[in-house]
Amino acid sequence: MRAFQKIALSLLISVVAFSLFALFAFSGFFSFIESNFYDTRVRQQITQRLDLAKKVVADYQKQYFDRFSRIVGQDSVKRIDIVNQSAQDIFNRKNLFQKLLADYPGILFVRFIDSHGNIHYSTLDSDVLSRSQYQTVYKTYNRADPNAIYSRQLESTSSTDAIYIEPKNGRLLFRLPWVGYLGTVVGSAVFYVGIDDLQSYLVKKGVIQPGKNLTIVGSNGFVFGKDVGGDTKLLAEIGRDWQTPQATEGGGTPVASQSGGGKLFLFSAKAGALGYIGELVPQAEFTLSRTLQALLSVSIFLTVFLLIFLIFSLR
């Protein structure tokens, strides 16, 4: 048999075999691959990303709390509540906080608030009522921030560190106990950090792709994946899902339908004091795309053709 006859016969048999495969594939074979292999692999990748996200968020919190603890432990900071301030303490505090804000641009400002709601120190000029050489008078906390939602938690003498989410302002509040010069807890040292700082850290660590946003979901946590910053209805649905007793890690919970068709699935993981961190995944991610189906079909066709041609060539 001549070479062109072998090629022609191999091609004919391959076309017939491929036609049977195509009929079989689009009758359920691709669905079988999706449900038993592709879907499982996609879910594993999502779980791995969420596991990484939990670790990265925990590291982020620890680094900032360690950094802020060193600041709060400085002698000049402990003496913030002294009425008559020394020039040296004022100078040291100014340099300390100027360097902190310069070294870490994600930190927006700092406040020291006592248990009665009085601000004793702030890096925000708008908090200042009057200033002299040795004394600065600040507004009360409620006057400085009339829309504050954590007054009770911050006007506290608790000795426990805490972190809170301010969804409206897009901020994280790192609260540390402020121990005064007498050695007792006077109130709270509050470090305000922009949510963009956490987003940049997650991008740097490979959790979020560059250009994707981290969106605050009320005070319940954060979500990434699909950009949903303006979809208040979807954010409310995610928040309700995280507030229910059935909210668990893992997921694949359908939370909404997209305008172009298909559902959005929410995968969640507990991120410690920050609540939940979730990823929104379109339904299309769990199915073989037309490109993958075509690539698989072409690969099978070429494999059958070359195998048959090889058999003819060995004869």
Side-chain angles (χ1 to χ4, degrees), residues 150-165:
Y150 295 111
S151 297
R152 181 178 58 83
Q153 293 89 335
L154 300 184
E155 297 171 7
S156 166
T157 56
S158 170
S159 58
T160 305
D161 294 343
I163 184 170
Y164 305 103
I165 302 171

Side-chain angles (χ1 to χ4, degrees), residues 133-276:
Q133 184 177 2
Y134 295 108
Q135 187 179 36
T136 301
V137 179
Y138 297 93
K139 301 174 183 177
T140 61
Y141 176 52
N142 286 334
R143 182 177 175 186
D145 194 351
N147 297 317
I149 58 176
Y150 295 111
S151 297
R152 181 178 58 83
Q153 293 89 335
L154 300 184
E155 297 171 7
S156 166
T157 56
S158 170
S159 58
T160 305
D161 294 343
I163 184 170
Y164 305 103
I165 302 171
E166 267 193 350
K168 184 176 181 180
N169 297 314
R171 300 187 301 217
L172 303 176
L173 278 58
F174 288 80
R175 186 268 173 191
L176 288 82
W178 165 33
V179 179
Y181 73 101
L182 294 177
T184 58
V185 178
V186 178
S188 302
V190 189
F191 297 79
Y192 294 75
V193 180
I195 186 61
D196 290 345
D197 186 69
L198 175 57
Q199 177 177 307
S200 298
Y201 191 77
L202 290 171
V203 171
K204 179 181 177 182
K205 295 299 181 179
V207 176
I208 299 178
Q209 295 179 355
K212 296 293 184 180
N213 292 327
L214 183 70
T215 304
I216 296 177
V217 183
S219 59
N220 303 303
F222 310 88
V223 68
F224 64 94
K226 181 178 173 60
D227 293 336
V228 294
D231 195 336
T232 55
K233 182 179 178 180
L234 176 57
L235 292 175
E237 187 174 350
I238 295 172
R240 286 193 297 271
D241 184 73
W242 284 345
Q243 287 178 335
T244 58
Q246 293 80 17
T248 57
E249 297 192 43
T253 307
V255 290
S257 296
Q258 301 180 89
S259 57
K263 291 184 177 295
L264 282 173
F265 289 87
L266 174 67
F267 291 79
S268 307
K270 199 74 171 69
L274 283 176
Y276 285 93

Side-chain angles (χ1 to χ4, degrees), residues 37-47 49 267 281 285-287:
F37 300 100
Y38 192 74
D39 179 273
T40 301
R41 179 57 181 161
V42 171
R43 289 176 182 271
Q44 288 176 346
Q45 292 174 340
I46 294 170
T47 300
R49 281 198 298 270
F267 291 79
V281 184
E285 294 290 328
F286 302 97
T287 60

Side-chain angles (χ1 to χ4, degrees), residues 109 111 113 117-119 121-122 124-129 138-148 155 169 171 192:
F109 57 94
R111 283 176 175 146
I113 307 166
N118 300 307
I119 298 177
Y121 183 83
S122 173
L124 272 181
D125 289 337
S126 59
D127 286 349
V128 177
L129 277 176
Y138 297 93
K139 301 174 183 177
T140 61
Y141 176 52
N142 286 334
R143 182 177 175 186
D145 194 351
N147 297 317
E155 297 171 7
N169 297 314
R171 300 187 301 217
Y192 294 75

